[in-house]
Amino acid sequence: APVSPRVKGGYVGVILCILLVVVLENKWIRDKIRDNKRNFRHSSGKLEQGISRNEFRNIIRSQKAVLAPLTRGGNLPFRRLCVKYGANVTYGEMMFTKMLLRGDATERARLRVGPHEKYYGAQIACKSINDGVTAGKMAQEAGATFVDLNCGCPIHEATKRGLGATLLQKPSKLRRLVEGLVSGLDPLPVSVKIRTGKSSDHITMHQIVKNMGEVGASAIAVHGRTQQQRYSQSANWSQIREAVKIAEEYDMPVIGNGDILTHYEAQAFQELSGCATVMIGRGALIKPWIFEELCRDTTLTPTPEERVEIYRELVGYMKDHFRDDARGKRMAFYFLPWHFNFFCRYRPLVPETFQDLSEDHPLIQSSRAISLLLGEEREVDPLENLLRSENEKVHVDIAEILWEADSDAEAIDKLKKYGESDTFVDLESNARNEKRTGRRTSESTKNADNNGGDREQMEETSDNFVAG
């Protein structure tokens, strides 16, 4: 049947509306990038971008620590919190360049640079020079000080695309890629983040560090684990020391990464390896004030009430970023409850008690020993007990209270009452029962299969309130 003019007009109207939305969305993104660039100013009023390769290297060498690129955790409000506590160099969350260049809204959002970020690195995941250069120029327009190529991410989402740690398997190909990025983005500094290799019997770090120095990478961050190890074993800082010796020939600073939870561990690892500075990831997620600890060379032990105030700072930054309305709250709550998976692992690790232990084994991998030394009890202060909860349902409730509270005092009062409520007690009891049941099932299956292996290591990983 023929379509009436009225229906045709309706189709045209719908198409025009869709086109208008696309145009407005792209304009909004361009405006945001322009605003970031305009606002990305230091106290002098000058843009902190356009620095030379040598200036960037000196900046890296002058830092006590830098904030690692963090999947999900590297959101702009959390980076802002870390900057407040002393992180001068920050990395954004890894961006897939293919998706970025196709206009993916999530990837484009990761271009955002906060006006508070002094030296910001946009981390990209790519295997094409053209894609990397195009993405790097977009990041520079948005206010990035440098671009970092991810060659260390072990997650399937990256490796199935031939990205992240997969790039470590072909040092010659990686060399050509970085050489192209350095040339195409000049004078924007280009850094690289790697692991030591695919596995313990396939270490490619030495050749890669040499190659990166030869093609002009401005810095290289070395995570002292292989792709296969992920986070299951302690980082190998002796191998990072080997990378430092190679990089010295090219005046390329090495950033050491892996297992840092305290200022005294950071100092010990830096002395052991000789690296220019250290990169902190999970340690910052657990206690964002770790950068202040390093700057002041001391251990901070905030009370539960003081930690609530810090967490409310993060809530405030999220309201600034996402807006304090229903839509903003939905966006923020993709991140906020998740952060409590790490905040709950905080313990006061004073050097008098824990420094000797840290010399034998990284504290971020030593939950049981820490519990024994602390004489860990469940009958602690109700607020402390609440903040230590590993229950994700509790994390959502904590986030709700922090979001809705009008003041620190109100948030603390409501959290204390919630920590003493039957609701919380029941949630914790159910979680403990599920955990016990899960352990029994796991052990029964393991014994039935007679697979052998290290049960202690399995339990250490599953129970670890620090390692994540």
Side-chain angles (χ1 to χ4, degrees):
V3 179
S4 70
R6 180 178 294 180
V7 173
K8 284 183 179 178
Y11 288 156
V12 171
V14 170
I15 292 170
L16 288 174
C17 286
I18 292 172
L19 289 173
L20 180 61
V21 168
V22 170
V23 169
L24 290 175
E25 183 182 32
N26 287 336
K27 183 179 184 300
W28 181 84
I29 291 169
R30 287 197 302 272
D31 289 345
K32 285 296 181 182
I33 291 174
R34 186 178 64 250
D35 291 344
N36 280 340
K37 194 172 180 180
R38 185 185 299 123
N39 293 329
F40 188 73
R41 298 181 183 280
H42 189 227
S43 57
S44 64
K46 297 180 181 179
L47 286 171
E48 282 292 351
Q49 63 181 88
I51 60 175
S52 70
R53 188 179 303 165
N54 285 335
E55 287 173 323
F56 176 73
R57 288 175 170 176
N58 289 334
I59 288 166
I60 291 298
R61 292 187 175 106
S62 68
Q63 304 304 307
K64 293 285 188 180
V66 302
L67 176 64
L70 299 164
T71 300
R72 199 169 187 172
N75 56 82
L76 191 149
F78 182 75
R79 299 199 310 264
R80 182 177 176 183
L81 185 66
C82 291
V83 167
K84 189 204 169 184
Y85 287 99
N88 290 320
V89 177
T90 54
Y91 288 67
E93 187 174 348
M94 179 181 71
M95 295 178 283
F96 291 118
T97 57
K98 283 287 185 190
M99 295 170 67
L100 174 67
L101 300 182
R102 288 175 189 155
D104 182 85
T106 300
E107 299 299 333
R108 282 181 173 268
R110 291 176 180 143
L111 288 171
R112 295 280 304 273
V113 183
H116 49 279
E117 293 182 276
K118 190 173 180 182
Y119 303 111
Y120 173 77
Q123 190 182 67
I124 60 174
C126 71
K127 54 184 178 181
S128 155
I129 294 172
N130 287 338
D131 286 356
V133 169
T134 304
K137 288 179 178 178
M138 290 174 67
Q140 184 179 26
E141 282 185 27
T145 314
F146 64 101
V147 168
D148 182 75
L149 177 66
N150 183 300
C151 307
C153 182
I155 64 172
H156 181 64
E157 192 67 20
T159 57
K160 73 178 182 181
R161 294 180 166 94
L163 303 172
T166 305
L167 296 171
L168 301 173
Q169 298 175 34
K170 297 180 179 179
S172 298
K173 184 177 179 180
L174 177 56
R175 177 193 175 105
R176 290 192 296 272
L177 174 59
V178 175
E179 186 174 22
L181 295 179
V182 170
S183 174
L185 291 171
D186 187 60
L188 188 71
V190 175
S191 63
V192 181
K193 187 173 189 294
I194 69 170
R195 285 183 174 236
T196 56
K198 179 182 178 181
S199 60
S200 56
D201 56 357
H202 191 200
I203 300 296
T204 52
M205 174 197 72
H206 304 86
Q207 184 61 52
I208 289 172
V209 173
K210 181 176 183 293
N211 290 347
M212 297 304 97
E214 289 177 347
V215 301
S218 296
I220 186 166
V222 181
H223 184 157
R225 290 185 177 90
T226 65
Q227 173 187 348
Q228 194 177 76
Q229 288 170 334
R230 293 177 69 96
Y231 297 95
S232 61
Q233 298 179 28
S234 302
N236 189 331
W237 283 80
S238 296
Q239 286 188 327
I240 295 175
R241 181 177 60 210
E242 295 168 13
V244 170
K245 290 179 180 177
I246 297 169
E248 283 173 350
E249 185 179 342
Y250 307 97
D251 193 34
M252 180 176 64
V254 172
I255 304 169
N257 177 220
D259 294 343
I260 295 174
L261 187 59
T262 63
H263 72 96
Y264 47 87
E265 287 177 298
Q267 292 166 353
F269 288 144
Q270 191 167 8
E271 289 173 9
L272 170 64
S273 65
C275 63
T277 189
V278 297
M279 175 179 280
I280 304 179
R282 289 175 297 159
L285 287 170
I286 293 166
K287 51 176 193 178
W289 55 89
I290 190 172
F291 299 99
E292 184 175 344
E293 291 185 335
L294 279 159
C295 291
R296 292 171 55 183
D297 191 24
T298 191
T299 299
L300 302 176
T301 55
T303 64
E305 290 79 7
E306 289 168 337
R307 299 205 307 279
V308 169
E309 292 171 7
I310 293 171
Y311 305 152
R312 282 200 76 246
E313 285 181 307
L314 177 60
V315 170
Y317 296 155
M318 286 190 171
K319 288 181 177 181
D320 288 346
H321 184 64
F322 297 113
R323 296 186 181 179
D324 187 8
D325 55 24
R327 182 173 181 271
K329 182 179 178 181
R330 283 197 304 273
M331 295 172 69
F333 269 54
Y334 173 73
F335 302 101
L336 185 56
W338 177 89
H339 276 289
F340 282 90
N341 286 316
F342 289 90
F343 290 155
C344 72
R345 305 173 197 183
Y346 168 75
R347 300 294 186 274
L349 305 177
V350 294
E352 295 81 7
T353 306
F354 294 100
Q355 188 161 5
D356 288 345
L357 174 63
S358 73
E359 292 170 1
D360 295 329
H361 198 66
L363 296 179
I364 207 163
Q365 302 278 10
S366 305
S367 64
R368 291 187 176 176
I370 289 171
S371 296
L372 289 171
L373 286 171
L374 285 173
E376 197 110 322
E377 313 167 338
R378 297 311 295 176
E379 300 300 323
V380 294
D381 172 84
L383 183 57
E384 181 69 69
N385 193 37
L386 173 64
L387 295 180
R388 290 183 183 184
S389 173
E390 300 173 12
N391 191 322
E392 292 182 4
K393 293 178 182 177
V394 172
H395 297 165
V396 173
D397 290 343
I398 291 173
E400 285 281 354
I401 291 171
L402 294 175
W403 187 273
E404 298 300 333
D406 292 325
S407 66
D408 291 342
E410 181 185 341
I412 290 167
D413 181 59
K414 287 187 174 180
L415 287 171
K416 284 182 176 178
K417 288 177 180 176
Y418 177 73
E420 296 173 319
S421 70
D422 291 340
T423 300
F424 173 66
V425 172
D426 290 344
L427 283 171
E428 289 292 273
S429 177
N430 291 338
R432 282 195 296 272
N433 290 335
E434 288 174 8
K435 196 171 185 179
R436 289 192 198 101
T437 304
R439 274 187 184 169
R440 283 197 296 270
T441 302
S442 175
E443 289 175 12
S444 298
T445 303
K446 189 178 177 70
N447 292 333
D449 291 343
N450 195 26
N451 286 332
D454 188 348
R455 192 180 83 183
E456 233 176 74
Q457 178 61 43
M458 178 190 72
E459 292 181 348
E460 177 74 10
T461 302
S462 64
D463 292 346
N464 202 326
F465 61 67
V466 173

